[in-house]
Every structure is written in C-alpha cells, then in structure tokens.
Amino acid sequence: MELVLSLAIGVLVSSGVWLLLRPRTYQVIIGLALLGYAVNLFIFSMGRHLIINAPPVLEGGDPIDPMTFTDPLPQALVLTAIVIGFATTALFLVVLLAARGLSGTDHVDGREPER
Amino acid sequence: MTEPNLLLLLILLPFMGSVLAAMLPGNARNAEAWLSGAVTIVAFAIAIRLFPSVADGGVVRRQVDWLPELGLNFTLRMDGFAWLFTILIMGIGFLVVLYARYYMSPKDPVPRFFSFLLAFMGAMQGMVISGNLIVLAIFWELTSIFSFLLIGYWHHNAAARDGARMALTITGIGGLCLLVGLIIIGHIVGSYELDDVLASGNLIREHDLYVPALLLVLMGALTKSAQFPFHFWLPNAMAAPTPVSAYLHSATMVKAGVFLLVRLWPVMSGTDEWFFIVGIAGMTTLVLGAFFAIFQQDLKGLLAYSTISHLGLITTLLSFGSPLSAVAAIFHMMNHATFKASLFMAAGIIDHEAGTRDMRKLSGLFIFLPITATLAMVASAAMAGVPLLNGFLSKEMFFAETLEQHSGVWLDRISPYVATLAGAFAVAYSLRFIHTVFFGPKPVGLPREPHEPPHWMRRPIELLVLICLIVGVVPGMTVGPYLHAAVVSVLGDRTPEYSLSIWHGINLPLIMSVVALVAGVALYFLLRGYLATCEDGTPFLRNLKGQRIFERILVTISWRMARWMEANFGTRRLQPQLRLVVFLAFIAGLWPLFRAGFTPKVPTLAGVDPVFAAIWVVGGVCAIGAAHQAKYHRLAALVLMGGAGIATCLTFVWLSAPDLAITQLMVEIVTTVLILLGLRWLPKRIEEVDNSISATSRMRRHRDFALAVLCGAGMSVIAYAMMTNPLPYTISDFFLLRAYTEGGGTNVVNVILVDFRGFDTFGEIVVLGIVALTVFALLRRFRPASDSVGVPEQQRRQNEYDDAAEDREVGTTVHDYLMVPSVIMQWMFPVTILIAAYLFLRGHDLPGGGFAAGIAMAIGFLLQYLAGGTRWVEDRLRILPVRWIGFGLLMAAFTGMGAWLFGYPFLTSYFQYLDIPFIGKAPVASALLFDLGVFALVVGATVLILIALAHQSVRSHRVRAVEAAKVEEQA
C-alpha cells in the first residue's frame, strides 16, 4: 500500500513538473492540478499511519485509543487545501484567458517565441 | 501625572499634534501655528517640570514591555544630557513654529509642513530619550525620514527632490550601519538597555568586535552629522524651507550624530581607534567646512558649511577622550544651536525681504533692515567666537583642549594649528556674511524692495540672540546648572573641575583667539575683491563636488549595474525561471537528506493490495496521458486529469478519509466544468508532424524530462520513507481525545476545521472570497482574442443545418440539444439542495460539513445553468453570489465575535444538547453557525467564479451583435 501510494505520488509529480515546464498556458494549468493531487496525497500520507477500514468518526463520548483511528490532522489540512486549490486553479484559468485575450497567444511569456 | 508617564507624553504629544495638524484645512496657517506652538510649549513645560529629577545625575525611566523575550523593551530614559537636548528640541522648536507662521506663504500647503515638523519633533524627542538601543535606532531612522519629507516639502522644485533623496540615501545608509553596530554592542553586552550598555565600558572596549561596532556606529553618527566625507548632503538639503534648515539642519537633527557620540562616549572613547577615526574625520571637517564656507555665494550655503565645520569642531573635541573636552563638546552643541538657528532665521528674513540669497546681489541692507542686521551681527560674532558671546566660551575651551597633549601622536600635535586655522576661516566667513549683506553700496536690481519683517517673525531671533549674549557674559549663572546636569549624566564620577568664566587671564588659548581673529579679518579683506564676483564654490575644487560623485555612484549602481545584472542573469521568459525554481526545490529537498546520510529503504511488494495497485495503474496512466495530451488534445487531457483525480478520491476512501473523498469528488466536478468553460477561449492547435524541431528545443525537452523524472523519483523515495516510519505520537491525539468532550462533535476533521483551528479556516474562506472577487473583477474587463469570438464549430454546424432545413429555424437544434438530460437536471434541483443540506447538517458528527455542502449546493446551481442555459436560469432565479460571500464572511466573523460577549477569545465555541420536538435530542454548537458561514461563502465563491466565466459567452454574443451592427452601418 505504501509502495503503491508513493509511486503514485511520484508519477503525479513527474507529470506535473513536466507540464509546468511546458510553453503553453493550458499545459501549465493541467500540470498544476496534477501537482496539487500529488501534494495533497503527500500531506495526507504524512499522518501517523495509513489505515484501511478504520472508523472515520468517534462514537459518542466513549473513551478511545487514538491508534485505532485515522490521523485527522492531515485530513483537515488537505480538506482546505483541496478547496483553495480549486480557487487558485480558477484564478489561474481566468488570468490565462485574460492574457490570451490581451496578447493573442497562449504562450506563457505572452508572446510567441522567435524562431 | 507621574514623572515616568510624563516622559511618554513628551513623545506622544508631538505625534498626536502631527496627526491633528494633517487634518486641518489647507489655509489654516494660524490654527496650525497655534496647535504646534501649544504642543511645543506644553512639552517644554513638561521638560522644565522634570528638571529637579535629573539635576544631579538623576535618571527618570519609563518602560513599556514590547518583546521582553528578546530583550526589546520600549524604554524611555531621561538624564541630564537628554534633558538638555529636550529643552533644545522643544525650545527652538517653539521659536521655529512661530517663525514659520510668518515665513510660509498663504499659498503653501501648511498642514503638510506643520504635520511633518511635529512628527520630526516627536521622532527627535524619542531619539534623545530612548533608553533602548533598538528603540533609539528606530527613532533615528524616523528623523531621517521626516527630514527627507521636509527637505522635499516644495516637491515641485527639482533641487528639493534631489536634495531630499540624497539626504535620505546618505543618512539612511548610515542609519542601517548604526543599527548593525548597535546590535553588535547589544550582543557584546547581552542587553540592549542603555543603562546596561553604559555600565559595560571595559567589556565593550576590550571585545574582539569593538572595532567593527565602532566603525558601524561611527558610520551612522558621521553621516547624520554631515562629517567629511559624507558632508555634501547638508548643503544640498538647503533646498528645504528655511525654518526646516534652522531647526533640523543646524539645531537638532544634525546634532543627532554628535549626540550619539556623546551618549556612547563613556563606553567607546579613549582607544587609539576612536581617536584616529573620529579625530581625523572631525579635524578634516572642521577645516574644510570653514574653508568651503568662505567661498559660498548662497547665504544658506555659507551657513550650511559653517554648520558642518562646527559639527566637526564638536567631533574633534569628542575624539580627544578627556572629560574636559566632553564638557566643551556638550557646551558647544548648545551654543551652536542658539546662534546658528538665529542666523538661519535671519537669512530667511533676508531671502524673504530681498527676494534673493545670492551674496553677489545683496549689499547695503543695513538701512533697510537695521534691527535684523544688528541681530545677525551679534549672532555672527558668536559664530566667529568674539568675546562676550557664548561662541567665544566654548571655542576657548576647544583651543585649550587642543593644547593639551592627550596621546602625543602627530595628530595630537597638529591639532592646535588646525584649530587656529579653522578659527581664522570662521572669522573670515562670519565677517563676509555681515559685511557683504549689510554694508557697502545700496543694492541694485533686487527682486523686491526690502523692509523689516513683521515683528513677530523677528521675535525668535531676538530671543536667541539675547541668550547668546547673556550666556556669553554670565555663563555660570545662566547655563551653569543645566550644563552641569548634562555633564554629570555623561561623565558620572569622571566629571572634571571646569570653569565657565569669561576671563582666565592672558593665556595660550586667548592668544590663539586673537591670532585667529586678526588672521581672519586679514584673510577676508584679502579675498574680498575675488569673492564679490567669483563663481559659487571653492576655487580649484569647484568641479570636485561630492554631489556629483554621489550621483555617479548612484547611477552606476542603480542603473548600469542593475541593467548589467538584468542582461546577464535576468530573463523575461517564464520557462527558464520555473526550471530554476523546480531545480532549486529539488536540491533543497535533497540537501538535508544528503547531509543526514539518508539511505532509502528497499521496498517490498508484501502488503500490496492488487485492487489498490490497479486503481493507481489507471491513475498513473491517466496522469501521464494528461501530460502527453495537454498540448494538442485539451479535452482529452482534461478527461485524463479527471481520471487521476478520481484515483486520488478513491485513495481517500480506501484509507478511511471519507471527508476528503467527498470534498475531492465535488471539487473534481466543479474544476472540470470550470476548465470546460475556459476551453472555448483557447486557440485552436492542430497536431502536425513537425520535423523542424531544433536541436536546442529537443535538448530542452530532454532536460525537462530528466528534471521531471528526478523530482518524481525523489518525492516517491521521501514519501515511502515517511510512510514506512510511523510516528509514535503526534498532536493528532489531542484532537482525537478532545473532539467530542470539548468540541461536541464526533467528526474530528470537521471539529478541527470549525472549532480547534477555526481561525485558520476563517483565513482560508477569506482567501477563497478574495479569489472569487478577483476572478469576477478580471472577467468584467475580459476581451476574447479575435479568433475566439466566432461561434464555436458545433453551433455553427447546427445553425447551418437549421438554415438548410425548411421546417426549422436557426437555433432550434441548440434549443433541443440534450433535452432529456436537461429535464432531469432541472428536476434534480431540489434533490441537490437536499443533499447539500444533509451534508451540511451532519457535518459535525459524520462526514460532510460546510466545505463539501457548499460545493454541492454550487453544483446544484451549476446544473441549472448547464440544463437551461444562462438566460433561462437568470430569467427565473436571482442568485447574487456576492451577497452569499458577504453573508458567509459576516456570519463566520460574528460567530467568532460572539465569544467576546461572554468574555472569551475570538472564535471560542460553545455547544449544548437541545431537545427539539419530533426530532429528539440534538447537539447545537456555535461551531455550526460558523460552518454555516463557511457553507455560504463556498457557495457564493464557487458560483461567482463559474457564472462569471459562463457569462462570457453571453457577452460575446452581444459583442458580436454590436460589431455586426457597426459593419452594417458602414455598408
């Protein structure tokens, strides 16, 4: 499980970084989204341990053993990160469109490279 | 009020006055003067009231804790020396305010002037009574800033702007050096408190860091006091209004440098380094300043160089390191302030009355301004060191000190000759000032007919000149006790016996004075003919101006070198920048692992669940596919990206994080729709087999590919290492154990978000709101690229089909398009709202919550847009997303503030069980209200972003229609 998840993070990061370095704005936005998945998974996996089939919520006020639960802290962090990630994607998309409208190109530099 | 609080008031008064002065109307010269005058008078009275406490080496302290953990306290500390400066600041401040009332013309924006003047007063006052080195440095910089603002007061004048900028650059650099120097001293002593520093003289002088600290502190002091080679900013600062020159650039601010030297004199002086650096700077300034002053044609220029020279005199005195010379230095500071301020004011009157300050044009003004002329003569005599005036006393003390042998080195031996020479120069320029301006033939071609100024404008000068006289005649009875208080506070046990009487018999200093007087007079009459017509500036050195050198350096650094750096290291292209960022991030991630000798674990296949692995085989292929397709097949890339997102979502489900899974799924939907909406505005790009890719771009691709693989591999290794080393204890236990007992919820993630870390969540929703508004604002001015304005391909074909078919009208196909799904979507609207409400209400105890519910609700609205089109929805539904955002923010904020009513900090939550009829016992927490705020904001922000984007299509229809109408009109 750990192996699969870490490889998944690696693949997502590789794809994201590759796209981040590409010249077209749309590639960059997809790249950032993929990087976002990777980072969220990474933070999520930084919790105490990964458990399958652990109860996600407490049961009333019964005393509990924290080790049998999933780690809630990284979850709280990632939850807001997902929403903020959406917001930044939206902002970037709009900047991208505005830049395309103003400059007439979708190159990240705002102009086509000289050939 | 207690004495320590009076100290605080002493600083607060001018600053409060400054704020008030700034708010008065533009033509309220009298009100401004009354206000400023009242502030200075009250502050002056406070100072008088404090004198008994500081008279015999006493100290008044007031400490306000600021950052006590770092040894930083806002300490105020007034001793005799600071008291004397306070009197100077407030006393001369009052006179300057009075003078400025008449000096400023009705056309000048006076609120700005008086506001800056009062603020400067507060800063200067803070500087002299700060009892903490860091506080001192802060006030020090503030004086530089207000000096900058005051020099540049007439900012329509280029000379004022340049002078202001130069003064700020020089004193600002000095101030930064000073700060570093003071931090070093604080490091040596172990405390920034002035009391502690003053008690550790030997420690400082014997420390290895003494020389760097000394150099840095001197850098600050010498720039501020315009000492050679930093003197040139002061003459350029003369572009300021004359009251500013009189106040800042002769009486107070330029004294800050020597003030600091006196302040640190007990702990830093007495070493060879001190003597040589301070002595050489002081003596050079003393002689050069006086020499340059002779050749100035501008009255204020002459006075500025004279000020430089006198400050050099004080610096020289301080370099000697003997107690008696410190006494003379303190005494001369006071004397110089009185006669120089009055001379500046006199120069201002002459400028005002005659319309020029050029000494080649001025002459014979005595008959026009007899009283002002007399006053100026007395003050100049004091400047020249003529007996029976205060300048004479301190100058005699100076001469006597130069004669004393302090260390016997060459610098010490030449000092009497240097002093006499400078004395002769001083006599020459003082004489020139008086003789040229007031005597000789009647002036011709003056811009104005001069006459005596309003007598209140002259009062300040009269008072100052009176002080010069009285102090000069009966020093012991007038300044004696005050000077004594200052001297004792600086020297303590080392206070020497000194005599303030004017007659010490015929001795060597007196002979030096006589020599200087005779030589000065002779020098003036020798140079008179040349001076009457010569160009402004010192002969031979006219072209060697500090100003020009300074500007050349500035241009070299800020223009040429900056351009060179930009040309060689800068790029406006994003890709190289990002490549560098990614590369550095990779190195930064690798470095600590390398340092700590990290060895990666050998992974094992044991425990790999085939289903989970299969999910990520698909997810990984999707990610790579998205990366591959993003350039030419955007829609495919979007779908593939969604595939990776679903794999992420499933991972969250798999690993017992249902909250994340729900939110991820919802966000996945809106992100996809968002990008779909954007796709329409991107340019067509058709894949073609391109063989013309250059070698460099192929190289670049290989490099990027390698970098991407390296980063991915690195992340994998780190993630694997972290995951296989579980943490024994984390702060999560705290949340797990208390979520129910203290937060009243069983869904720990939600309790963390809305309760434990509610403030963070508040910050996040604010960010979300800001982003949504930014998107909205950006899109209001959106102009699509010309090739995207046309109707999309699919619509165009449908319209063509409608056009060709006889039984159809144009638009029918679009209208009927996706009929069945849209009916279902419309019918599902209430269901979506119900799901959102369900997710929201269960959030505190079960997976769900404000974020997920908000996005679900937004999706509900979104579906209506998809089903019916923008117009159809907006004819039936008013959504007003900006109000949702506002409501959400206010809701969250008010819930947080509600805790204040019960005396708890912001966002303290409260919960209780409530019996609701028919439903039963239910937990009611204030956190639920907070979550409602989150919910509303998320709905508003998401809908605002999506709708703003969707509206572009409607708008572009309109744009097209307008364009078409224009074309028709032209045709």
Side-chain angles (χ1 to χ4, degrees), chain B residues 309-344:
Chain B
S309 165
H310 278 276
L311 290 166
L313 188 156
I314 298 169
T315 311
T316 312
L317 272 172
L318 290 171
S319 75
F320 292 146
S322 76
L324 263 177
S325 50
V327 176
I330 297 171
F331 191 30
H332 195 69
M333 281 183 206
M334 300 303 122
N335 293 337
H336 175 255
T338 46
F339 64 68
K340 192 52 66 65
S342 60
L343 278 173
F344 265 112

Side-chain angles (χ1 to χ4, degrees), chain A residues 22 37 48 71 100 109, chain B residues 574 668 704 716 732-733 787:
Chain A
R22 294 300 89 218
Y37 296 142
R48 181 169 33 207
D71 194 342
R100 150 101 175 116
D109 296 336
Chain B
L574 184 71
E668 207 53 52
D704 289 350
S716 283
S732 303
D733 296 348
D787 55 330

Side-chain angles (χ1 to χ4, degrees), chain B residues 455-664:
Chain B
H455 61 123
W456 277 108
M457 189 170 181
R458 229 172 37 220
R459 287 283 179 276
I461 312 180
E462 288 166 5
L463 190 65
L464 287 170
V465 168
L466 192 67
I467 293 172
C468 291
L469 257 172
I470 297 178
V471 171
V473 179
V474 279
M477 285 163 65
T478 48
V479 290
Y482 310 117
L483 184 63
H484 178 72
V487 168
V488 169
S489 73
V490 174
L491 296 174
D493 304 335
R494 293 172 67 196
T495 307
E497 284 293 317
Y498 61 92
S499 147
L500 282 180
S501 58
I502 42 173
W503 181 251
H504 290 103
I506 296 176
N507 53 9
L508 215 46
L510 189 70
I511 295 170
M512 285 164 75
S513 278
V514 173
V515 170
L517 207 62
V518 174
V521 173
L523 182 66
Y524 171 64
F525 283 101
L526 216 66
L527 286 172
R528 202 177 139 200
Y530 171 74
L531 287 173
T533 53
C534 78
E535 263 183 79
D536 188 43
T538 324
F540 313 118
L541 297 174
R542 229 167 249 141
N543 294 323
L544 188 75
K545 276 192 178 156
Q547 183 186 4
R548 205 165 296 165
I549 298 170
F550 170 80
E551 271 162 11
R552 195 156 298 161
I553 292 174
L554 218 58
V555 164
T556 311
I557 292 176
S558 68
W559 183 246
R560 283 205 205 115
M561 281 167 72
R563 289 298 295 266
W564 183 84
M565 294 282 275
E566 198 202 356
N568 286 283
F569 297 109
T571 172
R572 296 198 171 190
R573 291 171 50 226
L574 184 71
Q575 284 172 279
Q577 296 178 26
L578 276 180
R579 201 172 289 130
L580 197 64
V581 168
V582 171
F583 182 69
L584 287 179
F586 177 69
I587 297 294
L590 200 66
W591 183 243
L593 297 182
F594 178 73
R595 283 278 301 273
F598 171 76
T599 42
K601 275 189 186 173
V602 182
T604 52
L605 281 174
V608 171
D609 191 304
V611 180
F612 190 62
I615 292 174
W616 272 109
V617 167
V618 176
V621 168
C622 280
I624 295 168
H628 186 250
Q629 295 297 323
K631 186 166 186 182
Y632 293 109
H633 302 284
R634 297 196 188 105
L635 185 62
L638 180 60
V639 172
L640 289 168
M641 184 192 99
I646 296 297
T648 309
C649 183
L650 287 175
T651 308
F652 290 141
V653 177
W654 194 274
L655 296 171
S656 323
D659 273 295
L660 292 189
I662 294 173
T663 316
Q664 179 74 53

Side-chain angles (χ1 to χ4, degrees), chain A residues 25-26 29 90-106, chain B residues 674-683 778-779 782-785 788 948-949 952:
Chain A
T25 46
Y26 186 75
I29 201 170
L91 185 61
F92 181 46
L93 182 76
V94 170
V95 171
L96 175 166
L97 294 178
R100 150 101 175 116
L102 282 175
S103 65
T105 165
D106 66 340
Chain B
L674 179 84
I675 297 181
L676 276 175
L677 285 169
L679 278 183
R680 186 217 174 299
W681 304 107
L682 287 171
L778 274 172
L779 285 175
F782 176 67
R783 292 278 174 281
S788 303
L949 202 49
Q952 297 314 313

